[in-house]
Amino acid sequence: MSLGRSSRRVRAAAAVGAVVLAGGFAAGCGSSTNEGSAASSAPTSALPDNPATGSAVKIGFIATEGGAAVSIPELREAAEAATKYVNDNAGGITGHKIDLVVCKQQEDPTSARNCANQMVEQQVAAVLSPGTSQGPVMLPIISGAQIPFVGFNGVSPQELMSPDSSMLSPGLPGVLTSTAEYAAKNGWKNVTFIVGDTGGAPAVVQQLGDPIFTAAGVGMKSVPYPVGTADPTPQITAALANNPDAVGVISDASACISVLKTMQASHPDVKKILIPTCLEEQVIKAAGQASVDGGVGLTLIDPYSDKPDSELYRSVLAAYAPELSPSGLGSASYQLVVGLQRATNNIQGEVNAASIKEALKTSKNVEMPAGGGITFSCDGTAFPQLQSICSRQMLVGPVKDGIPTDLQVTGQTG
């Protein structure tokens, strides 16, 4: 690879990270304000009786918890529930129990560095991270000790491109790929994204999206959204200038609230593309459920369908974390823990950092837990320019009562 091409990939990865980070920690889809009917009608079942009996394998989990600005205990609670399921019901990792080593970091370099060092000191066999802005701090320490780093949303060049990193979700490239595929399938001609203007993100969304949408026969435009904009009317006007079939927001929750609320008041009939961040509970409460219902939702979790893997997910939460919502942010942690178990359950011999890394990097078409048919392969083939991303796929479907429904897997080809 030439130095010029490598540099372009690093810059692209950095900008992708900025966009994904703008989406916060919404890996699945946030709890809906009206999810009660869906949750109450979704069945659960008895869990299998297959306890792990082998020696324990230490797996690190770096939680985002305790910070003044960001604290998401749900991520840790879901990881602990998933670990209990793997150990007590799913046979562990090739028969070995998981000893979950939890460290709480507060989204600052000092606490993140301390957690990374703790993982090395504890000699964990892998580190799980459901989402963080501190990847550039933690990953060099962890990978320097030859420990694989397994995340959900990569938000830095290190996470997206390191040979020691595996990101189960497709992030921004997946959003663009899945939207383009859905648009082509439904006869859309043009799509516009209002993009949070951080780290050159609008230009990168355009750069990444152009070939994806062109290949699908759909036009795509990126409109910058300055951070902290109080009135998004000018951005909405620019977004609607070419009469797009749908408009999406790629930014943080506050931008989702502002844009969705304003669009609902001024252009209620415009079709909306809703990334997971825009379906968080706080967004729906602030913008109103009418602002999202009828839109097209993208997600990575299938919490309420009758598919066996979705029923299993609900059953695990019912047994080990009944206070958690199946459509809440903890879904990312469940998918990380159970996904790791599925990707490494064919290890022959000792289960350690080297064998886990080898199993991950040779994994092919592993079923994403409660992913509605999504699979992941951490062999670098999903998006070759961002070799740590393990999947191209997302779930897409119409939003009803704040939740994407009738989910279809997109991004299966390309």
Side-chain angles (χ1 to χ4, degrees):
M1 179 188 299
S2 71
L3 178 61
R5 182 179 299 176
S6 177
S7 299
R8 285 195 297 272
R9 289 184 178 181
V10 170
R11 289 196 298 270
V16 169
V19 176
V20 177
L21 180 58
F25 292 89
C29 104
S31 303
S32 167
T33 53
N34 288 323
E35 73 167 19
S37 59
S40 62
S41 62
T44 59
S45 57
L47 296 174
D49 182 19
N50 181 24
T53 58
S55 58
V57 176
K58 288 184 178 181
I59 301 295
F61 184 85
I62 299 181
T64 301
E65 190 170 350
V70 181
S71 183
I72 314 175
E74 183 176 355
L75 295 172
R76 171 185 51 78
E77 293 163 357
E80 291 170 343
T83 300
K84 289 179 182 177
Y85 159 71
V86 169
N87 288 344
D88 297 345
N89 310 103
I93 296 178
T94 65
H96 294 272
K97 297 178 181 178
I98 293 176
D99 177 9
L100 196 69
V101 179
V102 175
C103 186
K104 300 175 183 178
Q105 62 91 16
Q106 291 80 51
E107 286 301 296
D108 66 82
T110 299
S111 64
R113 188 176 299 108
N114 289 340
C115 277
N117 285 326
Q118 180 180 323
M119 296 296 120
V120 175
E121 292 165 3
Q122 291 287 320
Q123 298 182 330
V124 300
V127 173
L128 305 182
S129 172
T132 179
S133 65
Q134 298 300 313
V137 174
M138 298 188 295
L139 183 53
I141 297 170
I142 293 166
S143 63
Q146 304 299 309
I147 299 170
F149 184 86
V150 188
F152 210 80
N153 281 326
V155 299
S156 68
Q158 292 92 332
E159 291 168 287
L160 295 169
M161 301 178 73
S162 168
D164 298 305
S165 174
S166 298
M167 297 290 122
L168 299 194
S169 98
L172 173 63
V175 167
L176 297 175
T177 298
S178 292
T179 302
E181 182 178 319
Y182 186 91
K185 183 178 179 181
N186 287 274
W188 295 357
K189 300 301 181 184
N190 289 285
V191 170
T192 298
F193 290 106
I194 298 173
V195 183
D197 199 356
T198 57
V204 170
V205 169
Q206 193 71 54
Q207 178 185 354
L208 290 177
D210 274 340
I212 294 171
F213 279 82
T214 297
V218 180
M220 193 277 286
K221 182 174 75 170
S222 172
V223 173
Y225 180 91
V227 175
T229 297
D231 180 7
T233 299
Q235 287 74 34
I236 292 173
T237 300
L240 297 176
N242 63 337
N243 296 313
D245 295 280
V247 174
V249 180
I250 299 178
S251 191
D252 61 7
S254 62
C256 289
I257 291 169
S258 182
V259 172
L260 292 176
K261 192 172 184 178
T262 303
M263 282 189 65
Q264 184 61 23
S266 61
H267 299 85
D269 296 328
V270 173
K271 181 73 72 176
K272 302 178 186 74
I273 303 160
L274 299 157
I275 64 171
T277 305
C278 292
L279 290 170
E280 289 183 21
E281 181 178 11
Q282 61 172 321
V283 172
I284 297 175
K285 282 184 175 179
Q289 188 171 298
S291 70
V292 299
D293 279 356
V296 176
L298 291 88
T299 184
L300 292 154
I301 188 75
D302 177 22
Y304 297 121
S305 80
D306 58 0
K307 293 182 178 179
D309 211 36
S310 297
E311 183 172 321
L312 172 63
Y313 168 53
R314 294 191 299 271
S315 302
V316 170
L317 291 188
Y320 298 122
E323 73 284 359
L324 296 185
S325 162
S327 59
L329 298 178
S331 61
S333 297
Y334 173 86
Q335 290 178 309
L336 269 179
V337 173
V338 180
L340 177 73
Q341 187 240 3
R342 291 180 178 180
T344 60
N345 217 19
N346 290 323
I347 291 175
Q348 302 295 319
E350 186 178 356
V351 179
N352 55 27
S355 63
I356 286 178
K357 179 180 177 180
E358 175 67 15
L360 283 167
K361 292 304 182 181
T362 57
S363 64
K364 292 288 291 184
N365 301 321
V366 179
E367 183 179 8
M368 179 76 81
I374 291 174
T375 62
F376 64 88
S377 302
C378 296
D379 58 358
T381 59
F383 291 99
Q385 70 275 31
L386 300 170
Q387 62 176 312
S388 298
I389 295 179
C390 298
S391 179
R392 300 175 60 88
Q393 301 172 4
M394 296 191 76
L395 300 172
V396 181
V399 176
K400 180 181 179 181
D401 295 335
I403 300 172
T405 60
D406 300 325
L407 297 171
Q408 301 295 318
V409 178
T410 53
Q412 298 185 79
T413 60

